[in-house]
Amino acid sequence: MLGVVVRPLQHLLSLLCPGRGLPRLSVLCTQPRRRAMAVSSSSWKLPLVAVCQVTSTPDKQQNFKACAELVQEAASLGACLAFLPEAFDFIARDPAETLHLSEPLGGNLLGEYAQLARECGLWLSLGGFHERGQDWEQTQKIYNCHVLLNNKGSVVATYRKTHLCDVEIPGQGPMRESNTTLPGPSLESPVSTPAGKVGLAICYDMRFPEISLALAQAGAEILTYPSAFGSVTGPAHWEALLRARAIETQCYVVAAAQCGRHHEKRASYGHSMVVDPWGTVVACCSEGPGLCLARIDLSYLRQMRQQLPVFQHRRPDLYGHLGIPQS
């Protein structure tokens, strides 16, 4: 078993005995991989990651409480790394409220998450923090910042979203992220974690395969796309894009998502998931806030890259060095 769906505050037995009709338990039995996967004691030694699905509101402390409960549950189930979605801190009603609620990285909220990481003893991917950067006084704009904390609560990486979502989707309403947010200046090199080397991105970035190729060629084994996908683009594009990014890079893809109605002006699609390097969805959240968990098998990733060596077959003489990280 590679992945399961777990509602908050469920017992460890949910990981050990899937499909036995346990009360209030939702388990996803994923389709088989292309190779036979016998469940053995060694499979339980693989690193376990948790993907948290939440419904953020403008209430920052209520959002923290909801996220903390999921992180604590992930820790109790043995996860070494928990992923939170974009805008885990809050989703405001309008641009003015977004700017008002934003904080610097050294503010109180990140301090609470650092303490949470220390207390739970696991790494945290904080998928999209509304950050007042050092240029806040001059620009009065923020960054959409993906923060990675280690199990000591230290910031080990920050990535500021490089592609801003300025779109008009019929039935979903216009979005103008650039009204409040500045684009980040660069990619972040993949970071070694207990689960593997993680390449950081955020939501709309998944529509640009150049980022995934750059991160994979820089050594990423896990790509993560914390998101707040809309209710129209979600059913049409969400899973297709995530599976494409996994297949083309031969990486695991982890996508924590916002779900449900945040307030009267906005709702999100949900369906947080983990995709393996073959493109199989190995874990997916059910409706509403909750957790899904998956084990990361890097030996499988390396075996597949050896059997299907697409990066060795690239033709930069025809189309250039697409996706090579800029120095």
Side-chain angles (χ1 to χ4, degrees):
M1 180 185 66
L2 295 176
V4 298
V5 178
V6 183
R7 303 299 298 170
L9 304 178
Q10 297 298 326
H11 191 267
L12 178 60
L13 190 59
S14 63
L15 279 178
L16 303 179
C17 303
R20 294 190 179 273
L22 297 176
R24 299 191 300 123
L25 173 65
S26 174
V27 178
L28 174 67
C29 298
T30 60
Q31 62 194 52
R33 281 187 179 173
R34 65 187 181 97
R35 61 171 185 167
M37 288 295 295
V39 176
S40 66
S41 59
S42 61
S43 69
W44 299 107
K45 298 178 182 179
L46 297 173
L48 183 71
V49 300
V51 187
C52 302
Q53 182 164 285
V54 300
T55 307
S56 292
T57 70
D59 188 333
K60 292 164 68 174
Q61 279 307 305
Q62 185 61 39
N63 296 336
F64 174 75
K65 180 181 178 183
C67 289
E69 288 178 355
L70 292 177
V71 169
Q72 290 160 358
E73 179 67 7
S76 73
L77 292 170
C80 64
L81 173 57
F83 294 84
L84 292 173
E86 181 183 30
F88 68 94
D89 51 351
F90 65 86
I91 291 182
R93 297 177 183 87
D94 54 53
E97 188 175 41
T98 295
L99 295 175
H100 174 72
L101 292 174
S102 63
E103 296 185 18
L105 289 180
N108 292 333
L109 188 60
L110 259 293
E112 291 183 279
Y113 277 97
Q115 182 177 348
L116 179 66
R118 288 192 297 270
E119 291 175 350
C120 293
L122 81 173
W123 288 53
L124 290 179
S125 163
L126 305 177
F129 175 72
H130 296 84
E131 178 207 3
R132 292 188 183 186
Q134 295 181 349
D135 53 3
W136 164 254
E137 295 297 333
Q138 292 75 38
T139 66
Q140 294 295 293
K141 287 190 174 185
I142 58 175
Y143 293 95
N144 189 340
C145 184
H146 190 156
V147 182
L148 188 64
L149 301 177
N150 65 17
N151 60 350
K152 305 298 183 183
S154 300
V155 175
V156 296
T158 54
Y159 162 73
R160 293 163 180 89
K161 189 176 183 182
T162 49
H163 297 96
L164 302 184
C165 191
D166 288 0
V167 299
E168 293 189 23
I169 307 296
Q172 191 170 288
M175 178 171 289
R176 290 285 183 271
E177 192 172 12
S178 63
N179 285 348
T180 60
T181 306
L182 296 168
S186 62
L187 302 183
E188 175 72 20
S189 296
V191 181
S192 294
T193 77
K197 292 185 178 179
V198 175
L200 304 179
I202 302 173
C203 197
Y204 192 54
D205 288 334
M206 77 175 69
R207 294 186 180 274
F208 302 89
E210 295 88 346
I211 285 187
S212 65
L213 293 170
L215 291 172
Q217 291 185 99
E221 297 161 322
I222 302 167
L223 301 176
T224 181
Y225 295 99
S227 299
F229 244 60
S231 56
V232 174
T233 53
H237 299 159
W238 173 250
E239 182 176 328
L241 285 168
L242 294 173
R243 295 183 67 193
R245 299 295 81 86
I247 292 167
E248 72 195 4
T249 62
Q250 299 174 319
C251 287
Y252 280 90
V253 168
V254 179
Q258 293 282 344
C259 68
R261 180 151 295 280
H262 310 288
H263 45 70
E264 65 277 7
K265 296 181 180 179
R266 187 167 173 184
S268 293
Y269 177 61
H271 295 78
S272 301
M273 65 178 60
V274 180
V275 185
D276 76 7
W278 185 248
T280 300
V281 178
V282 296
C284 182
C285 280
S286 58
E287 297 299 322
L291 287 176
C292 65
L293 302 107
R295 295 193 179 273
I296 304 298
D297 187 349
L298 295 182
S299 65
Y300 172 61
L301 178 149
R302 289 188 287 268
Q303 178 186 14
M304 207 181 65
R305 289 181 176 182
Q306 182 179 18
Q307 294 172 347
L308 190 62
V310 293
F311 280 94
Q312 296 177 31
H313 298 157
R314 299 189 68 81
R315 290 289 305 274
D317 57 310
L318 299 180
Y319 41 74
H321 291 279
L322 182 68
I324 295 296
Q326 298 297 308
S327 58

